[in-house]
Amino acid sequence: MPSDVILRSEPTAPAASRTVPRRRTRVLALAEARWAAAALVLFLIALPLQLAGVPGWAWGPLYAAAYLTGGWEPAWAGLTALRGRTLDVDLLMIVAAIGAASIGQVMDGALLIVIFASSGALEALATARTQDAVRGLLDLAPASATRLAGDGSETTVATGDLAVGDTILVRPGELIGADGRVLAGAGEVDQATITGEPLPVAKRAGDEVFAGTLNGTGALRVKVERDAEDSVIARIVAMVEEASGTKAPTQLFIEKVEQRYSLGMVVATLAVFLVPLAFGAGLTGSLLRAMTFMIVASPCAVVLATMPPLLSAIANAGRHGVLVKSAVVMERLGQVDAVALDKTGTLTEGTPRVTDIRALEGSGLDEDTLLGLAAAAEHPSEHPLARAVVEAARTRGLPVGDASDFVSTPGVGVRASVGGRTVEVGAPGRLLADTGGSAARIAAGLEDGGRTAVVVLRDGVPVGLLGVADRLRPDAASTVAALTALTGSAPMLLTGDNPRAAARLAAEAGIAGDEVHAALLPEDKVAAVRRLEARGRRVLVLGDGVNDAPALAAAHTGIAMGRAGSDLALETADAVVVRDELATVPAVIRLSRAARRLVVQNLVIAGVFISGLVVWDLAGHLPLPLGVLGHEGSTVVVGLNGLRLLRDSAWNRAAEDAR
């Protein structure tokens, strides 16, 4: 049998049902956490020994070890920054700890080191949890593939060992092991997890395929065209992992202020130390007050106020299927006040349904008979269009007859024997190639109306056509309403489809007729977005595919609905909705706004603590231990407050508020 004609295969789970695996980095897997834990253990062993009056030779080395384990990383980071002529807060904290130890306050300095190291571990944990959600995408790709040698022999190898130019064999029901191009064979590949295609795509020689997609029918020989680290899935991971290295605008402002603030703090610390000495104060007391001032005035809590909430929000959104590329994007999402939506693949879910049944004159069939005939032939098939036809027949209460001699030709359709007659159901472009006539005209009309035309032939003669269309996502109307409530204005529909199809779907989704813009070219979509932004609006564009990429780039923020297979859309979108769940868009906007509120809260907390402690130290006598606890305690409070958005309850609350 030719490779492009297959018998019915066993059902396979659709790729869309596979979700991003949830990974969770163990705390002690982080070097920062291990060093912080070691410093804490050493401190907790030394402290009771010191308080019990044990000689210093017993607890002194333990404190020294705590200084080393908890302080070497920030000290190295500070010295590295100093070589670049930048005064880092990390270095100031180490200087303060060493200064405390130099005047006999060894325990206080060790406490400062432990709390400072713990703060760094918390920030590292927030970053790691963000990366967990992204790296889970790599598990969508198979671990092994069947490589073909020149003599036709087969070898099972790890997908990471595949090289460009290798040929792999992909059997029905298998995941494709690498990005490449079909050399031979034909099949229908479910690309939902990569491209968001609602229906399996027919693949023949010369077509491109992606790692992690599911081959439903037909055996494929694929030539590898990208190394594993350059695959579409790997590029998604690399793109989103940039989130932990980016800084939101607020953070950038704080870092600019931090440099001047740190220099000013050094000058002020010297003044706090030297001025009392000039008036006869004791050396130890002046040095202690200066060290306390340096500690409490350091802007650690202010610096830590911004990134943990934003990184936590990114991690939480990633766990729920929204991959936000950077902290900048997470901050911008909360600022949007206008939304522009694409239609196909965005408002529609990709689940087809039969919308039209057209029996041809002279066929002797009515609608029910035509639908029943098509359903009987399609019943053995696993294709989504076939399931739509069978489901339509069952919805009407029609019996689905038995079929024999069933064969499926990918990209063409199916053929079966029903009631002793040969019935073919499939694409008009293939099955009507030599017939034309009224059937071709009806097919053209259905396709002009935004439907997929399916022709039914009996004994080689066209007897009718079916129109199949995507179903509006169940949450489309509620999402449109939620976005309207969030932004204060109704979303705008931007589509390249014809005006009638666009208006019909917009009415179902609850989009006003004057907000529907149809038959647009890519540059027209960009123009519509820029008109809104010229009026001072911050526009969120939600779309997919290459034709949406210019608008995604022009918008204040762009989100791609699972169309990661399109390189252009992938690169220009600011976030990707991996699972194609439309309702996650208003939820992630709410989460962004929650993160922005936490940033403001953290800045207020940090400002109050620093101001209070500085005034206490200058106007009175602030004990160094209290200064350490107050300052580093505020840093821990700020860090923990930001990590609140890591909890699932934060996402659930955002999703509930967005409804």
Side-chain angles (χ1 to χ4, degrees):
M1 181 178 293
S3 62
D4 62 342
V5 180
I6 66 164
L7 296 176
R8 180 185 179 187
S9 61
E10 292 299 317
T12 54
S17 66
R18 292 179 287 127
T19 57
V20 178
R22 181 169 179 174
R23 298 185 177 192
R24 194 173 181 85
T25 297
R26 292 179 294 108
V27 175
L28 293 180
L30 300 172
E32 295 88 346
R34 292 196 298 271
W35 289 117
L40 176 61
V41 169
L42 291 167
F43 178 82
L44 292 178
I45 295 174
L47 180 61
L49 294 177
Q50 181 187 17
L51 296 178
V54 174
W57 59 263
W59 48 263
L62 293 174
Y63 277 137
Y67 275 76
L68 289 174
T69 54
W72 80 267
E73 280 194 321
W76 180 258
L79 290 173
T80 301
L82 192 60
R83 283 199 297 269
R85 297 183 179 181
T86 299
L87 188 59
D88 197 291
V89 172
D90 292 351
L91 187 59
L92 294 179
M93 289 295 96
I94 298 302
V95 170
I98 295 175
S102 68
I103 58 175
Q105 304 292 330
V106 179
M107 184 270 290
D108 299 328
L111 178 61
L112 172 60
I113 290 290
V114 168
I115 297 179
F116 193 63
S118 300
S119 300
L122 287 173
E123 187 171 2
L125 180 62
T127 301
R129 293 288 167 81
T130 302
Q131 295 170 340
D132 288 342
V134 180
R135 288 175 178 166
L137 281 173
L138 291 174
D139 292 337
L140 293 176
S144 61
T146 302
R147 183 166 59 191
L148 298 177
D151 58 2
S153 60
E154 301 178 5
T155 307
T156 300
V157 299
T159 53
D161 294 335
L162 292 174
V164 174
D166 285 349
T167 300
I168 59 175
L169 174 64
V170 186
R171 296 182 174 88
E174 289 185 346
L175 292 172
I176 296 173
D179 288 5
R181 199 164 297 277
V182 178
L183 291 177
E188 291 182 336
V189 177
D190 189 338
Q191 301 184 147
T193 55
I194 299 296
T195 68
E197 293 284 346
L199 301 174
V201 179
K203 298 292 185 181
R204 294 179 178 273
D207 291 337
E208 187 177 16
V209 292
F210 304 105
T213 56
L214 182 67
N215 182 29
T217 60
L220 302 175
R221 290 173 181 258
V222 176
K223 181 179 180 181
V224 178
E225 292 189 338
R226 295 191 188 102
D227 292 328
E229 61 269 20
D230 295 326
S231 68
V232 171
I233 291 178
R235 291 204 305 274
I236 294 175
V237 173
M239 175 186 68
V240 185
E241 277 185 331
E242 295 174 2
S244 60
T246 60
K247 302 297 177 75
T250 305
Q251 178 76 0
L252 293 174
F253 171 75
I254 287 174
E255 288 187 343
K256 292 176 182 177
V257 173
E258 178 190 341
Q259 296 303 309
R260 299 171 184 172
Y261 183 94
S262 299
L263 290 173
M265 192 181 69
V266 170
V267 174
T269 300
L270 291 174
V272 171
F273 173 60
L274 296 175
V275 170
L277 283 179
F279 287 92
L283 175 63
T284 300
S286 298
L287 183 58
L288 183 60
R289 182 185 293 270
M291 291 297 100
T292 303
F293 176 84
M294 175 180 286
I295 292 171
V296 300
S298 295
C300 300
V302 175
V303 174
L304 201 60
T306 303
M307 290 306 289
L310 295 175
L311 291 176
S312 298
I314 291 173
N316 204 339
R319 290 203 309 267
H320 291 87
V322 182
L323 301 183
V324 181
K325 288 171 62 173
S326 70
V328 173
V329 175
M330 179 55 73
E331 187 178 54
R332 285 181 177 176
L333 279 168
Q335 301 171 348
V336 298
D337 56 11
V339 179
L341 301 168
D342 175 50
K343 183 180 80 67
T344 305
T346 300
L347 288 179
T348 59
E349 65 176 7
T351 301
R353 60 178 176 178
V354 175
T355 58
D356 299 86
I357 305 174
R358 307 280 184 87
L360 295 178
E361 293 183 8
S363 66
L365 304 179
D366 58 18
E367 288 188 358
D368 285 353
T369 306
L370 174 63
L371 181 60
L373 190 67
E378 291 275 31
H379 184 255
S381 175
E382 298 296 332
H383 196 283
L385 287 177
R387 291 197 295 267
V389 172
V390 174
E391 181 62 27
R394 287 174 173 167
T395 300
R396 289 191 173 209
L398 304 177
V400 179
D402 295 328
S404 59
D405 301 324
F406 173 83
V407 291
S408 172
T409 305
V412 177
V414 302
R415 183 176 71 250
S417 179
V418 180
R421 311 287 290 271
T422 299
V423 178
E424 296 173 84
V425 184
R430 299 295 182 91
L431 297 182
L432 293 179
D434 300 324
T435 57
S438 62
R441 289 194 297 272
I442 294 174
L446 290 173
E447 291 172 353
D448 287 342
R451 296 163 175 79
T452 298
V454 177
V455 65
V456 182
L457 279 67
R458 184 175 59 186
D459 294 333
V461 178
V463 293
L465 291 100
L466 306 176
V468 182
D470 274 358
R471 177 179 286 120
L472 189 73
R473 295 180 187 272
D475 54 357
S478 60
T479 299
V480 168
L483 291 173
T484 301
L486 280 171
T487 62
S489 60
M492 180 170 57
L493 182 64
L494 304 178
T495 178
D497 288 352
N498 66 74
R500 288 176 299 172
R504 183 177 65 250
L505 184 131
E508 293 181 34
I511 298 176
D514 58 352
E515 297 294 341
V516 178
H517 304 268
L520 300 181
L521 296 173
E523 56 265 31
D524 299 325
K525 294 185 177 183
V526 172
V529 171
R530 286 178 174 166
R531 282 195 298 271
L532 277 177
E533 293 188 333
R535 299 202 296 265
R537 309 297 294 274
R538 294 183 175 93
V539 184
L540 167 67
V541 170
L542 187 60
D544 62 339
V546 174
N547 64 325
D548 295 317
L552 291 170
H556 179 266
T557 309
I559 299 180
M561 286 291 294
R563 298 288 178 172
S566 169
D567 289 343
L568 191 56
L570 177 63
E571 291 173 3
T572 54
D574 298 306
V576 178
V577 180
V578 175
R579 301 172 193 168
D580 271 2
E581 296 174 359
L582 195 61
T584 58
V585 175
V588 77
I589 293 175
R590 288 279 187 187
L591 190 67
S592 170
R593 294 182 179 181
R596 287 165 59 83
R597 287 194 297 271
L598 281 187
V599 169
V600 174
Q601 289 178 17
N602 283 347
L603 291 174
V604 171
I605 292 171
V608 168
F609 268 85
I610 291 175
S611 300
L613 293 172
V614 166
V615 170
W616 187 354
D617 184 55
L618 295 179
H621 176 68
L622 174 62
L624 181 59
L626 286 181
V628 171
L629 286 175
H631 180 266
E632 296 304 316
S634 68
T635 303
V636 172
V637 168
V638 164
L640 292 175
N641 192 41
L643 293 179
R644 286 165 49 197
L645 292 184
L646 278 174
R647 299 179 298 183
D648 285 337
S649 59
W651 176 268
N652 296 336
R653 192 161 50 247
E656 184 65 29
D657 291 343
R659 290 173 186 168

